[in-house]
Amino acid sequence: MRRREFIAACCCAAFAGKARGAGLIEPHMHFTPAAGAPQVAITLDACMGETDMRILGPLIDNAIPVTIFATRRWLDRNPATIALLKQHRDLFVIENHGAKHLSAVIGPGRPYGLVPAGTAEAVAEEVRGGAEAITRAFGTSPKWYRDATALYSRDAMALIGTMGFRIAGFSLNGDFGASASARMAHKRIAGAKSGDIVISHINQPHRPAGAGVIAGILALKARGFRFVHLDDVATMAVG
């Protein structure tokens, strides 16, 4: 690993440790793959901004199933992408990433220094607003929820559960919030193990990470991996 990439990875780990140390929870999970070819679940967050066609185009060309966690903000800004995703419903399952891209934290905690939803009412509004946007765009009702930072207060997690959503954790961070270099993202995703749930981003077309994300996914395909949606497998929490 190059020195700059090592420093970036260490910084991400340090920030995550600080956030968890403040009493927040980062749900991790994986799944038990079926017998046969190795399997992995790719999840891509669409937080706000644009669409990274470096990723989306090859996913379609290679018929790779992916679960996309989309915010209302991103959906409102990307109608052409919505139309494209609707043409490939067999590949893309769209799940809930919230309305305004806020962390599901009740109380004063600030994951990564960001202002969270803060109250139970605001968390519920964030979750509900994201779900309603997906239903308007795709005519489907999301089942999974992932907040802005993948960090939660315990009471917010309980509230989200009462609203009928499962919280989507992960076992492999592929691009560190799209801050990784292309080389780092490629290496991390290409090194996934069977049963991993990968998190990366599809809304940063101007950052180097996206090139590495798709390169890593295609490397898994070349290794004979099968790709699954979260609903296709029995997921298990690992801490």
Side-chain angles (χ1 to χ4, degrees):
M1 183 182 295
R2 295 175 181 173
R3 182 174 182 273
R4 183 172 61 182
E5 294 171 349
F6 175 76
I7 292 173
C10 289
C11 287
C12 289
F15 280 127
K18 182 177 180 181
R20 286 193 294 272
L24 302 182
I25 300 168
E26 183 181 65
H28 286 248
M29 67 183 194
H30 70 289
F31 66 93
T32 301
Q39 297 180 326
V40 68
I42 302 294
T43 68
L44 297 175
D45 288 1
C47 309
M48 58 194 80
E50 304 172 62
T51 302
D52 195 337
M53 290 304 299
R54 296 173 301 176
I55 299 174
L56 184 57
L59 291 176
I60 293 172
D61 293 342
N62 288 273
I64 295 176
V66 165
T67 303
I68 295 177
F69 284 84
T71 66
R72 182 177 68 197
R73 294 178 64 178
W74 184 82
L75 292 170
D76 287 346
R77 186 168 175 176
N78 291 272
T81 303
I82 292 174
L84 184 59
L85 294 174
K86 289 169 73 172
Q87 294 174 24
H88 302 279
R89 290 180 181 269
D90 57 326
L91 298 181
F92 302 109
V93 172
I94 313 302
E95 297 292 349
N96 190 356
H97 199 31
K100 300 178 181 178
H101 199 240
L102 299 174
S103 296
V105 173
I106 298 172
R110 291 196 173 201
Y112 306 113
L114 301 174
V115 177
T119 66
E121 293 78 8
V123 169
E125 182 179 351
E126 173 76 358
V127 174
R128 189 181 303 113
E132 290 173 349
I134 290 169
T135 300
R136 283 195 301 271
F138 296 96
T140 60
S141 298
K143 303 174 184 176
W144 294 86
Y145 181 77
R146 176 181 287 156
D147 80 345
T149 59
L151 291 166
Y152 306 78
S153 60
R154 192 174 299 277
D155 45 4
M157 292 180 70
L159 173 60
I160 293 165
T162 66
M163 296 179 69
F165 292 92
R166 297 181 65 186
I167 292 177
F170 59 92
S171 59
L172 175 62
N173 193 328
D175 67 354
F176 295 118
S179 69
S181 68
R183 181 177 180 272
M184 179 188 287
H186 179 184
K187 183 177 181 180
R188 290 185 62 79
I189 296 173
K193 299 177 181 178
S194 188
D196 267 337
I197 297 172
V198 180
I199 180 175
S200 291
H201 292 75
I202 196 170
N203 66 303
Q204 294 288 354
H206 306 296
R207 293 188 183 181
V213 168
I214 191 59
I217 293 172
L218 294 179
L220 291 176
K221 182 176 184 289
R223 288 173 55 196
F225 271 73
R226 291 182 56 221
F227 299 90
V228 298
H229 296 126
L230 292 183
D231 283 341
D232 295 337
V233 293
T235 55
M236 297 177 292
V238 293

